[in-house]
Amino acid sequence: MHYRTLGRTGIKVSPYALGAMMFGTIGNDDHDDSIAIIHKALDAGVNFIDTADMYSHGESEEIVGKALAGRRDDVVLATKLNLPMGDDPNRQGNSRRWIIAEVENSLRRLQTDYIDLYQIHRPDPSTDIEETLSALSDLVHAGKVRAIGSSAMPASEIVEAQWVSERRGLERFRSEQPTYSILNRGIESEVLPVAQRYGMGTLVYSPLAGGMLTGRVRKGQQTDLRRAAFFTYLSDERRLDVVEQLVPLAAEAGLSLTHLAMAFAIAHPGVTSAIMGPRTMQQLDDVLAGAEVVLGDDVLAEIDAIVPPGTDVSPLDMAYKTPAVLTPSLRRRPLDERAAA
């Protein structure tokens, strides 16, 4: 396994990161099996694990904590906060109140006294970014966190956060975690260039497009993916059409669709690591088998012809949408102000 530097932190991480979202009740609820998957990834040279407090409501962090017993110092450990951890409206978001409280919960579940990369899972429009950065800076100064990062943050907000950090003398976001795959290339336009400009590492999630780039989701065929019953993107005709174009391209290159997709994700110079999220040992083995795959310029050019750079075929269901997009009143003038004359 080769290693890359996480932005300008000096921390070395593997190009494949192990995502722990599927460990726990929402995925693999067998703790021993999940721990075995983690150990196998570490033995293969993967040194970067990404989880979050809300994955199976803390259970994922607990599993990761148990798996890292005796191996903690050899692993770059990342977790996140923001999404609801209960009915209390203050047990979510990016407020100082919640950050200071929840980091202690994550440290306890992970059975560690420090987190290498602590990330805000989503932007929080209700909280001043200075408030968030100030609280996170205090955690760095206290030695509980080594570096801080963002996730699903629009390019404009990344820039704003960097400016606030500089002006207020606060720790700055050292990484960004956006979605990125052959089907979702939108971050190539602004997010990746902005992250590179500020020396941020980029940890891309869903490089297999939520399962669509595994070959298990084909047009006109039944899929065995359990999530197909819950997510509409898996039946999106535009995405299915692109998959049908990618299957022969992968075959011509002598690759599985999974290996083509993973190799594509880590080929961009702005991408530090691609997060794989296996639920089973077989899925982990499948991804790791393609670790040495290199896509030539000819194959990348063919992918560009199918999905133009900087474009999304269609958004993932779980992709972050800003209030300006989600809230009708923010994109519609009052009726009496809509006429031109």
Side-chain angles (χ1 to χ4, degrees), residues 324-335:
V325 172
L326 283 177
T327 309
S329 63
L330 296 180
R331 29 184 190 85
R332 297 174 185 170
R333 289 179 178 271
L335 277 172

Side-chain angles (χ1 to χ4, degrees), residues 14 18 91 112 114 135-136 146 188 216 240 291:
S14 47
L18 179 63
R91 292 180 59 81
T112 184
Y114 70 99
L136 292 172
R146 299 293 190 253
E188 292 175 342
R216 295 168 63 188
L240 289 168

